[in-house]
Amino acid sequence: MANEDRFVKIHGEGFVNVTEIWVDKKTGVNYLFHASGNSGGLTVLLNRDGTPVITPIGTHYEE
């Protein structure tokens, strides 16, 4: 069984104050990660109507 990463970073910006978007390749759910200094947090990225942002499974990601 191949060891494949479940999450892929699709967006990143900043160096000290970092903001990234990660996608779970098994569910398609998008997560927002933000870190500043030595603290950070992760949350589900939501659409305007409050539902999770979903990327279609099988999408090719540029890394």
Side-chain angles (χ1 to χ4, degrees):
M1 181 172 169
N3 182 13
E4 186 176 324
D5 293 332
R6 179 168 178 164
F7 296 91
V8 61
K9 182 172 75 168
I10 63 168
H11 177 77
E13 57 187 56
F15 184 70
V16 175
N17 293 314
V18 176
T19 301
E20 300 172 342
I21 298 176
W22 290 81
V23 175
D24 182 337
K25 294 193 292 187
K26 292 189 180 196
T27 66
V29 175
N30 287 235
Y31 296 88
L32 178 68
F33 173 75
H34 182 77
S36 180
N38 58 353
S39 63
L42 179 74
T43 189
V44 174
L45 190 61
L46 300 176
N47 289 310
R48 175 177 245 155
D49 64 1
T51 59
V53 174
I54 306 285
T55 298
I57 295 173
T59 300
H60 175 72
Y61 305 100
E62 297 291 328
E63 295 186 36

